[in-house]
Each structure stands twice: as C-alpha cells, then as structure tokens.
Amino acid sequence: LAAGLALTAATRCFVDGLDLSTCPKLTISPEVLVLLGVLLCLGGACYLAALVNQRFLRRRPRHGTKAKPRTAANPLDPNRLEYWEGRHLGRGVSLFLPDASKQKELLKSWTQQESLVALGSGSYLLKQPERLLWRDIPEEMLSHVRNDDSVVYAALGPEKQYFLRFRDGDTCWSLWSELSQQIKEQEQKQHRVSVVCIAPNGGYFVLFDSGGWAHNRLPDSLRLFLSEQRDRLPQVDHVSCSNSGAWFVSFRDGQMPRWQCHHLPRRLNERILQLSGGDWKIQSLEFGFDGSWLLRFDARTPLESGC
C-alpha cells in the first residue's frame, strides 16, 4: 500500500515536470497515470486483506460453533491419551497408557468391579468377577494365570518381575533377590504377603499378614513418609511407585491422612484435585513403569462428605 502511494506521488511529480510539447508521441494524460497509481494501491490493499484472512481469520471457529473444552474426553486422540471421564463418570476410573490401542482395550473392558489391577512396563493384569484380563505380562507369570483364575493379589515390576497370590494361599513370584529372600524367610514362619510394591532399581516395600514389614531403595520422599507413619505401616492398604519417582500410599485404619501421594504428573495431579474437591473419594492409584497410571475413585457417602 505504501509502495503504491509512493509510486502515485512520484508519477504525479514526473508528469508535472514533463514538457509534453517536446514529446508528440506521448498520448497518456496525467489523470490516467494518477488513476493507474490509485488502482495499484487498491490492488495492494486487496492482497493484504486476502493474506490476513488466510493466515488469521480462517482459524477462528465458525459462527454458532463451540470449541471443545480443554478436558474433553477423547482417548483415541494420540495428542490427548488421558481419559478424563467426560462421558463415563459412572466407570470410576481415569487412566493413561502410552499405547493408545491398549488404553482403548482396557477402557472398553472396564466394569468397575475389578478386584485387582496391576500395571507393569507396557503390561497390565485385571481381575474381574468372571475372568482375568492381561496384556504382555511376563511369560513365566502367564504360565501361572492362563488356566487359573483364582488369583486374588498381583503385582508387576519394571523388568519382568511379578508376584501372585492365589485363593488357596499359594504364592509364586520372580522378584529382586533381596525381596525374594525376605518373602521366603517369612513364609517359613507361615507369614503371607499382604501388600507388595516392586520398585525400580531393586527397591521394594512388603507387608506381611503378621504386621511385619520391610522396605529398601525407595524414593527419598516415600522413605521419609513411611518413617513418619511408622506406627501405621501394619495398616497399609496399597503402595505403588513409578520409575519417575511418583508414589501413592493408602491406609485402611480410617485415620487421616487416608492416603498420600507425591511427584505426580501434572494432569494426574489436576485430576486428583478436581475429584477430591468434589463429591468423589480416591480409592487407589496404580503406577506402571512406562509412564502409565490408573486412578480409581468412587462417590462419597453422606458421612464422608466432610472428609
């Protein structure tokens, strides 16, 4: 536009200083040249308007449409694999699996009646009333569960470690050597595993039905919390930690805090704050070792509404 205006002004100055009598062949009048300059200015303005429309205006939503909310549930979108319960609040679960196909499969199978959930590194195991579901669990573990659905407790580790307890009290496992020795010694005394957390780098937490417990090589913040809650450790209900240092601990003694967590992924932390600030209570949180997590929650009862 500025170039067109400058050209118009320059053309006018040139024509004003030109002696037309010495150029008999020049038949274009000054008014025509000025008109050409104006047309050039209009063309430049139209080009700028088209450029602005293409780069900016077309990105705006059309009139009458409404943009998706930031937390819209879309588990099939590879850019938003988190499941935010936007259309399935009745299922009582939020989860994230890096593999979108596995996440879709797990969500489709979820019934809210699962008695156990275990996440590993790209693997999971679910216990439902009528069946066991699993994906990519260690071969040795698979040989125990393929034809036996009497599993009542399970845990998965970062490097093909696992632990299984069956309805008849039998157990089988493949664990860090130190943890395996702890379990062997207690089972010789007829003490069974009640809770076990298989942590990265040889870490673990284990609680026995006798009330005895042991832990080693856990994240510093988790180790400090367990030390502060030492008297409550026989009442631990669930422990889980990830390879990034995130962890979750819950208790079954009814005292406060009922659960504690630390170093959570940002969106998981936002989800917990959203639920605990409303009419929901956190039941459990399970971490995998590939960035996966599964959060279970339930509606508060009237007696729990003030908790």
Side-chain angles (χ1 to χ4, degrees), residues 176 178-179 199-204 215-220 223 241:
W176 308 121
E178 183 178 328
L179 175 56
N201 305 316
Y204 65 88
H215 62 78
N216 198 9
R217 298 188 184 92
L218 296 175
D220 291 341
R223 180 172 48 82
C241 62

Side-chain angles (χ1 to χ4, degrees), residues 23-303:
C23 301
K25 293 182 180 181
L26 184 63
T27 60
I28 301 176
S29 67
E31 290 75 14
V32 172
L33 292 176
V34 172
L35 180 61
L36 291 175
V38 172
L39 293 176
L40 181 61
C41 292
L42 292 176
C46 292
Y47 174 79
L48 285 177
L51 183 63
V52 170
N53 179 67
Q54 181 179 5
R55 297 197 59 182
F56 301 102
L57 299 183
R58 289 188 180 181
R59 294 186 178 183
R60 298 177 182 176
R62 297 178 179 177
H63 179 71
T65 62
K66 186 176 181 180
K68 280 188 176 182
R70 182 171 174 267
T71 57
N74 188 5
L76 303 183
D77 182 355
N79 298 316
R80 185 172 298 280
L81 298 180
E82 294 85 357
Y83 183 61
W84 295 109
E85 298 297 335
R87 295 186 291 268
H88 302 283
L89 280 172
R91 292 194 175 187
V93 63
S94 289
L95 63 92
F96 168 75
L97 298 180
D99 188 324
S101 63
K102 291 180 181 178
Q103 176 170 289
K104 177 184 177 182
E105 180 184 75
L106 197 157
L107 286 170
K108 185 177 180 180
S109 304
W110 190 261
T111 66
Q112 206 175 355
Q113 298 179 346
E114 285 71 13
S115 57
L116 71 87
V117 179
L119 298 179
S121 182
S123 58
Y124 66 79
L125 177 74
L126 301 180
K127 170 69 172 181
Q128 295 179 339
E130 302 297 332
R131 60 177 179 170
L132 278 173
L133 296 177
W134 61 80
R135 277 291 297 269
D136 298 335
I137 60 177
E139 287 294 331
E140 185 178 340
M141 184 183 191
L142 180 60
S143 65
H144 292 291
V145 303
R146 181 182 282 116
N147 300 314
D148 189 350
D149 62 354
S150 64
V151 176
V152 294
Y153 186 83
L156 286 164
E159 301 174 11
K160 297 185 178 181
Q161 295 84 7
Y162 72 90
F163 178 87
L164 292 171
R165 186 176 75 239
F166 298 89
R167 190 177 298 115
D168 59 6
D170 287 344
T171 57
C172 59
W173 66 81
S174 175
L175 301 168
W176 308 121
S177 57
E178 183 178 328
L179 175 56
S180 180
Q181 186 61 33
Q182 289 272 3
I183 295 175
K184 287 180 181 179
E185 292 176 358
Q186 292 298 317
E187 288 201 341
Q188 290 175 358
K189 303 175 184 178
Q190 304 301 311
H191 300 323
R192 301 297 183 182
V193 172
S194 177
V195 177
V196 64
C197 170
I198 310 169
N201 305 316
Y204 65 88
F205 172 88
V206 60
L207 173 67
F208 299 94
D209 56 9
S210 63
W213 51 268
H215 62 78
N216 198 9
R217 298 188 184 92
L218 296 175
D220 291 341
S221 56
L222 175 54
R223 180 172 48 82
L224 178 60
F225 176 75
L226 294 176
S227 298
E228 294 172 348
Q229 304 292 326
R230 187 182 184 90
D231 294 339
R232 300 179 65 194
L233 293 188
Q235 298 297 321
V236 165
D237 184 58
H238 182 65
V239 180
S240 181
C241 62
S242 73
N243 55 354
S244 63
W247 55 265
F248 175 88
V249 179
S250 61
F251 300 90
R252 55 174 175 262
D253 57 5
Q255 299 182 31
M256 301 296 288
R258 296 182 178 179
W259 53 268
Q260 186 62 272
C261 55
H262 183 72
H263 199 58
L264 304 181
R266 179 179 60 86
R267 291 188 176 179
L268 172 58
N269 187 63
E270 292 175 354
R271 182 60 166 156
I272 289 179
L273 291 175
Q274 176 190 6
L275 291 168
S276 58
D279 295 328
W280 304 93
K281 61 180 179 181
I282 304 301
Q283 290 183 316
S284 66
L285 174 58
E286 184 74 22
F287 288 106
F289 301 96
D290 55 353
S292 58
W293 50 264
L294 187 147
L295 174 67
R296 301 184 68 176
F297 53 91
D298 196 5
R300 296 177 187 266
T301 65
L303 292 177

